[in-house]
Amino acid sequence: MKPTLRVGIIGGGLMGREAASAFARWFVLNNFPVQVELVAVCDLQPTLLDWFRQIPTVKLLTPDHHQLLASPEVDVVYVAVPHNLHEAIYLDVLAAGKDLLAEKPFGIDLAAARRIRDAAAKSGRFVRCSSEFPFLPGVQRVIEWAQSGAMGKPLEVRSCFWHSSDLDPTKPANWKRQVRTCGAIGVMGDLGMHVVHVPFRLGWFPSRVYAQLQKIYHERPDGKGGTAPCDTWDNAMLHTEVNIQGIETPMRLEMKRLAPGATNSWSIEILGTDGGMRYSTAEPKTLWKFDRSKEQWWSRTDLGFQTPFPTITGGIFEPGFPDCFLQMWAAFAAERAGALGNRFGCVTPDEAVRSHELFEASLASHAQRTAVIPG
Ligand SMILES: NC(=O)c1ccc[n+]([C@@H]2O[C@H](COP(=O)([O-])OP(=O)(O)OC[C@H]3O[C@@H](n4cnc5c(N)ncnc54)[C@H](O)[C@@H]3O)[C@@H](O)[C@H]2O)c1
């Protein structure tokens, strides 16, 4: 009999429901050592709680997260609420003796991230932070290649996450557009963990950052006939330096809510003197590889479904967001059970704190128009 991971969700909005759907499809995983069961959900909105009634394993629906945390049926809590609530709820989860998959960012700012990391270490609970794109087959190939040394001498790295729906000025404001609820780091808090996860795991931590931050729309419709102020950063370009094989290498990190034409495009490009790789979720099956001998060429591989955790899905089928999100949860469950092996794991609390050190340094860099050392 496999052990069962009994999950409670706090925040049943966009991501809470995405998590529920990942658990409902858990049987896609082949010979996975852990079962999963969604047992409790907390949200303030009754209509959202109603949505979860269609899941037979859910026994507790509540607007009070303390009630969810008091349940002995819950082992692990996934928290997907606005950023201003992260710290208080994450600390409540740890105080209740539960393990945690935290949504990013890891608290609203650096001070909060450090407090959460310290509380996690003190509690001894298993804590990770969400970032799913590295679990796509194309990204796994880029990571393996980067670790193989095939790039030769490193030339440059670019890691990006681009959205475009905010280009529409009639899109109503929500909590992600305001510093009070999203955080002063703005788009870096929304999209930043996604762009640093792979470089950080490869050991590429910026020693210096020069940041260009942009606020384009200062107000939006509030959805009730009026307007609401929008004071978060829309776009962030971080020009950083990282040490790869002892060589100071430029790494650009791009987080954009205003990227013309990009719906939810995560991409990475790594270039060296002997080889390069490029992958974007805009073309989820396509892996670009650069090689040179007498001539130089970029070759295109049509990828299949080679996920880190094997599934029953046909090996030639194409992967998408729900697949990498499920794979991320599998990595969380496997690592918690001591069965991750040498596979890629979820963001650790230390990595999450380092992301905040970078974003805080980026705020200072932009304000001072100078390069800043994170940390
Ligand atoms: N991993 C990803 O790809 C990804 C994508 C989008 C958002 N996120 C992150 O997920 C988190 C949630 O974002 P979202 O897009 O799902 O937001 P959302 O607004 O769709 O959902 C947030 C939910 O939290 C609920 N909530 C607010 N206060 C609460 C409280 N005190 N107790 C219980 N529930 C409460 C709201 O009612 C809402 O349903 C954020 O941290 C965000 O950055 C991650």
Side-chain angles (χ1 to χ4, degrees):
M1 187 76 173
K2 292 179 188 178
T4 300
L5 188 76
R6 299 173 308 169
V7 182
I9 291 177
I10 301 177
L14 178 73
M15 294 314 293
R17 282 172 294 164
E18 194 63 46
S21 88
F23 305 146
R25 221 163 63 84
W26 201 254
F27 47 68
V28 78
L29 296 166
N30 238 347
N31 300 319
F32 193 73
V34 183
Q35 291 288 7
V36 74
E37 215 170 71
L38 178 61
V39 294
V41 180
C42 166
D43 199 287
L44 302 181
Q45 301 183 52
T47 49
L48 283 175
L49 289 181
D50 276 345
W51 183 90
F52 287 91
R53 288 186 201 284
Q54 64 191 311
I55 302 167
T57 53
V58 175
K59 294 177 193 137
L60 173 65
L61 292 166
T62 174
D64 178 3
H65 75 267
H66 296 104
Q67 198 186 347
L68 181 144
L69 295 177
S71 167
E73 308 266 300
V74 174
D75 306 316
V76 167
V77 184
Y78 173 58
V79 185
V81 296
H83 303 169
N84 58 316
L85 304 173
H86 283 189
E87 180 181 2
I89 296 184
Y90 295 177
L91 295 182
D92 284 347
V93 170
L94 297 171
K98 315 287 189 192
D99 292 340
L100 170 68
L101 181 59
E103 257 307 339
K104 48 79 201 164
F106 205 60
I108 200 161
D109 57 20
L110 175 59
R114 286 181 172 151
R115 285 191 292 269
I116 300 163
R117 177 203 50 197
D118 294 347
K122 207 167 159 205
S123 71
R125 305 313 313 178
F126 182 67
V127 178
R128 291 291 181 268
C129 188
S130 174
S131 154
E132 60 277 3
F133 297 104
F135 299 96
L136 284 167
V139 188
Q140 290 287 313
R141 291 280 289 272
V142 174
I143 294 165
E144 279 165 30
W145 172 86
Q147 288 168 331
S148 74
M151 76 174 79
K153 290 183 188 301
L155 291 172
E156 63 178 272
V157 178
R158 203 150 66 96
S159 180
C160 309
F161 197 9
W162 298 339
H163 284 194
S164 63
S165 63
D166 279 20
L167 278 173
D168 175 4
T170 67
K171 180 180 168 182
N174 61 25
W175 63 264
K176 295 174 186 173
R177 306 292 166 266
Q178 295 181 333
V179 165
R180 188 182 63 77
T181 41
C182 177
I185 53 178
V187 69
M188 294 184 280
D190 276 345
L191 308 181
M193 197 74 79
H194 295 292
V195 303
V196 300
H197 189 183
V198 171
F200 279 14
R201 195 52 67 89
L202 290 168
W204 304 343
F205 295 100
S207 53
R208 198 153 51 122
V209 58
Y210 181 82
Q212 292 172 306
L213 310 179
Q214 291 170 287
K215 282 181 197 176
I216 304 294
Y217 293 126
H218 298 277
E219 59 177 29
R220 288 181 175 277
D222 63 3
K224 299 174 207 150
T227 55
C230 294
D231 53 358
T232 49
W233 296 111
D234 289 317
N235 284 1
M237 296 244 275
L238 312 189
H239 307 268
T240 78
E241 223 127 56
V242 290
N243 181 327
I244 304 179
Q245 304 166 25
I247 297 172
E248 204 173 71
T249 308
M251 176 167 86
R252 191 156 94 222
L253 304 171
E254 298 185 13
M255 291 136 273
K256 298 182 180 176
R257 290 175 182 157
L258 301 169
T263 44
N264 195 53
S265 299
W266 183 101
S267 66
I268 192 159
E269 181 176 57
I270 303 171
L271 300 176
T273 51
D274 294 345
M277 273 213 175
R278 189 187 283 162
Y279 176 82
S280 169
T281 59
E283 295 177 289
K285 290 176 71 172
T286 298
L287 180 69
W288 288 100
K289 184 167 183 287
F290 171 75
D291 288 288
R292 70 170 179 85
S293 57
K294 223 168 178 179
E295 293 186 322
Q296 303 180 9
W297 66 98
W298 281 94
S299 57
R300 177 187 177 282
T301 304
D302 211 26
L303 296 170
F305 206 87
Q306 287 74 43
T307 47
F309 295 93
T311 66
I312 55 90
T313 302
I316 58 165
F317 295 165
E318 48 284 289
F321 185 92
D323 299 301
C324 63
F325 197 70
L326 192 151
Q327 290 282 322
M328 175 187 77
W329 267 100
F332 178 90
E335 191 171 4
R336 182 178 180 272
L340 186 65
N342 58 3
R343 278 174 288 233
F344 198 86
C346 298
V347 174
T348 64
D350 282 335
E351 288 169 330
V353 167
R354 290 190 87 157
S355 77
H356 272 284
E357 289 172 350
L358 176 63
F359 305 150
E360 202 96 334
S362 300
L363 290 180
S365 164
H366 182 78
Q368 298 157 15
R369 303 295 195 270
T370 178
V372 170
I373 296 170

